[in-house]
């Protein structure tokens, strides 16, 4: 369900999502020795239900010259699931961005965003014999120059602390 909202005369949206399924999925708490088999490997169990709920929003903080779609604002989303059989227990993202920040360049767009993902403890425990799964987070900054209606030139920097690596990933300069 999504709603148009107006705060301080500026447009925005808010949304709610909710999912429930009775479809079976691998019960992460029963993975045990199926990832790294023992001499007598087991069989993972099946969990018969799952859920996921989320809230999202975007809200302009300023519109440039009253022109719709040109300005800057905030956006974000927070979500939670049962964490089993879903591998992701909860996550959130938050950012700030917009379009037309430079006079005369009203079609350029830019943004900065951050996310954090918390993996299910059941999944972390199941993978622990083989590897360490940590929570993941990342930051992105970008600017897209619209040089012609058919040609954009973008700059993008992403810094990610991945769940399956021991170091933070930063692209070489």
């Amino acid at each position: 369900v999504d709603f148009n909202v107006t705060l301080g005369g500026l447009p925005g949206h808010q949304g709610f999502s909710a999912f429930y399924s009775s479809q079976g999925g691998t019960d992460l708490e029963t993975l045990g020795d199926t990832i790294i088999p023992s001499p007598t490997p087991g069989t993972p169990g099946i969990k018969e239900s799952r859920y996921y709920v989320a809230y999202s929003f975007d809200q302009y903080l300023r519109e440039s010259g009253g022109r719709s779609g040109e300005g800057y604002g905030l956006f974000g989303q927070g979500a939670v699931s049962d964490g089993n059989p879903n591998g992701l227990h909860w996550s959130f993202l938050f950012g700030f961005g917009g379009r037309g920040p430079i006079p005369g360049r009203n079609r350029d767009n830019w943004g900065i965003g951050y996310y954090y993902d918390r993996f299910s403890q059941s999944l972390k425990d199941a993978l622990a014999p083989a590897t360490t799964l940590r929570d993941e987070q990342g930051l992105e900054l970008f600017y897209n120059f619209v040089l012609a209606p058919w040609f954009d030139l973008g700059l993008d920097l992403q810094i990610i602390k991945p769940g399956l690596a021991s170091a933070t990933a930063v692209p070489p300069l």
Side-chain angles (χ1 to χ4, degrees):
V1 177
D2 290 316
F3 301 95
N4 292 328
V5 295
T6 302
L7 297 175
L10 297 168
H13 303 90
Q14 294 188 28
F16 299 93
S17 302
F19 301 95
Y20 173 81
S21 174
S22 60
Q23 178 184 10
T26 302
D27 185 347
L28 300 176
E29 292 182 6
T30 66
L31 286 177
D33 61 4
T34 59
I35 292 178
I36 299 179
S38 68
T40 57
T43 302
I46 301 297
K47 187 164 185 257
E48 297 298 331
S49 64
R50 63 186 83 201
Y51 70 85
Y52 167 89
V53 295
Y55 165 75
S56 60
F57 73 92
D58 62 78
Q59 180 61 52
Y60 272 96
L61 300 176
R62 181 173 189 274
E63 277 192 303
S64 300
R67 292 183 297 268
S68 180
E70 188 177 320
Y72 58 85
L74 301 171
F75 62 89
Q77 179 177 21
V80 65
S81 80
D82 52 22
N84 182 17
N86 295 312
L88 193 60
H89 188 64
W90 59 263
S91 67
F92 75 86
L93 63 89
F94 183 77
F96 181 67
R99 201 173 104 196
I102 300 172
R105 304 216 42 89
N106 63 342
R107 294 183 352 169
D108 290 359
N109 58 74
W110 58 276
I112 180 170
Y114 172 79
Y115 78 93
Y116 193 98
D117 291 337
R118 173 159 312 262
F119 292 99
S120 157
Q121 190 61 48
S122 298
L123 180 59
K124 289 178 180 182
D125 293 345
L127 294 174
T131 189
T132 299
L133 180 62
R134 65 182 183 183
D135 296 338
E136 183 169 301
Q137 56 186 317
L139 176 72
E140 179 176 14
L141 295 93
F142 74 90
Y143 193 98
N144 292 319
F145 297 92
V146 179
L147 302 177
W150 49 270
F151 185 64
D152 293 9
L153 177 64
L155 301 172
D156 193 310
L157 173 65
Q158 296 180 19
I159 303 168
I160 300 172
K161 185 176 178 184
L164 286 174
S166 60
T168 299
V170 180
L173 298 174

